[in-house]
Amino acid sequence: MSETYQSKRERRQRVLACLPAEMRKHVSLRNVEAVAALPPQAQARLMEGFQAGLKQLSRAVEQLRLDPDTSVAGLLTPPLQASSEPSPQQIQTDLADLIQMCFPDMPRISSEALADAQVMEIARATAQVHNALFESAHLRTDFVLAVVYGLLHQTLESLEEIISDTPACQQIITQSSLPWKPQTWRNQNA
C-alpha cells in the first residue's frame, strides 16, 4: 500500500521531533530523513556548520553522507562539481506528493504517473526553478529578495485570478488541503 502525502508528512514530523532541538530549526521536512540518517559525528558536524552560517542544507547533507569527517569549511564551500539541484526523480516524487495533497483519494501509482506526464512539464520546470531559488547564495540579498518576492506575488495574483474565474478550479482548491484565501492580502494595499 502506498503512503499518502499526509502520512508521509506526519512521519517526517515525527523524525524531526527526534532530532536535537537546536538542529530542528535548521532542517526542513523535505531533508529531515536524510539528516536523521547521518551518523552522530556527521550530525554534530552539520550543527557546527549551522552555527558557522551554513545555508545550503541539501548539499551539506550529501557531502556528509559521502564523508562524515568533512570539515566545517568544506561544508560552507562545497566542491564546485557538487550539484545542489534535486534529481528529476526527487522532483517527480515531490510533485506526486503535491498531487496527492490536492487529490487525496488518488492512488499513489496514479499520482506518480501524472507527475511524470507531459501535461505536468510546466510544473516540473517550476519545481526545478523553485528549488534553485532557495539554493541561491544571493536570495538573502535585499534587492534580489525584493524582486523575487514581487515576481512571486504577481504570479500568485495571476493564479488566483484564474482560480476565481474558473469554478471547477475553485472547487478543487477548496477540497484539497491547499490554503485558499483569495484576494485578502491584495486588497490591503488598495
Side-chain angles (χ1 to χ4, degrees), residues 156-164 181 183 185-186:
L156 190 54
E157 282 182 334
S158 298
L159 288 172
E160 285 185 350
E161 187 175 321
I162 292 169
I163 293 167
S164 293
K181 298 176 185 172
Q183 303 178 1
W185 51 272
R186 271 193 270 157

Side-chain angles (χ1 to χ4, degrees), residues 19-20 23 34-48 64:
L19 292 177
M23 185 176 284
V35 170
L38 291 173
Q41 79 265 21
Q43 287 184 7
R45 186 60 48 93
L46 184 61
M47 196 61 227
E48 291 172 24
L64 286 167

Side-chain angles (χ1 to χ4, degrees), residues 142-154:
D142 56 358
F143 62 88
V144 173
L145 184 60
V147 170
V148 168
Y149 181 81
L151 285 169
L152 292 175
H153 191 273
Q154 288 175 348

Side-chain angles (χ1 to χ4, degrees), residues 3-189:
E3 184 176 34
T4 66
Y5 174 83
Q6 187 62 31
S7 63
K8 183 183 230 179
R9 181 176 174 80
E10 290 169 359
R11 178 175 45 79
R12 287 177 173 176
Q13 287 173 331
R14 286 191 301 271
V15 172
L16 183 63
C18 294
L19 292 177
E22 195 57 30
M23 185 176 284
R24 284 183 222 144
K25 65 183 176 184
H26 298 287
V27 179
S28 66
L29 284 181
R30 183 176 87 178
N31 293 310
V32 72
E33 292 171 320
V35 170
L38 291 173
Q41 79 265 21
Q43 287 184 7
R45 186 60 48 93
L46 184 61
M47 196 61 227
E48 291 172 24
F50 290 140
Q51 292 166 348
L54 177 68
K55 300 290 181 210
Q56 297 180 346
L57 177 61
S58 300
R59 189 180 292 169
V61 168
E62 181 61 20
Q63 182 64 34
L64 286 167
R65 189 184 67 74
L66 296 172
D67 178 13
D69 295 321
T70 300
S71 68
V72 172
L75 293 178
L76 296 174
T77 55
L80 292 176
Q81 71 270 17
S83 173
S84 62
E85 292 184 21
S87 69
Q89 181 59 42
Q90 181 60 49
I91 289 175
Q92 182 176 341
T93 299
D94 292 347
L95 284 178
D97 291 346
L98 285 171
I99 291 167
Q100 283 203 289
M101 185 172 76
C102 296
F103 304 95
D105 295 334
M106 183 181 288
R108 181 64 184 188
I109 195 163
S110 299
S111 66
E112 289 173 353
L114 182 57
D116 192 39
Q118 178 64 31
V119 72
M120 293 296 285
E121 179 58 35
I122 192 66
R124 282 191 300 277
T126 302
Q128 288 173 325
V129 170
H130 183 262
N131 284 312
L133 169 70
F134 288 101
E135 291 292 330
S136 171
H138 305 292
L139 182 61
R140 298 199 190 288
T141 306
D142 56 358
F143 62 88
V144 173
L145 184 60
V147 170
V148 168
Y149 181 81
L151 285 169
L152 292 175
H153 191 273
Q154 288 175 348
T155 300
L156 190 54
E157 282 182 334
S158 298
L159 288 172
E160 285 185 350
E161 187 175 321
I162 292 169
I163 293 167
S164 293
D165 293 343
T166 314
C169 289
Q170 286 179 24
Q171 184 177 6
I172 287 171
I173 297 293
T174 56
Q175 289 176 351
S176 74
S177 52
L178 293 171
W180 173 241
K181 298 176 185 172
Q183 303 178 1
T184 54
W185 51 272
R186 271 193 270 157
N187 294 332
Q188 293 174 353
N189 298 324

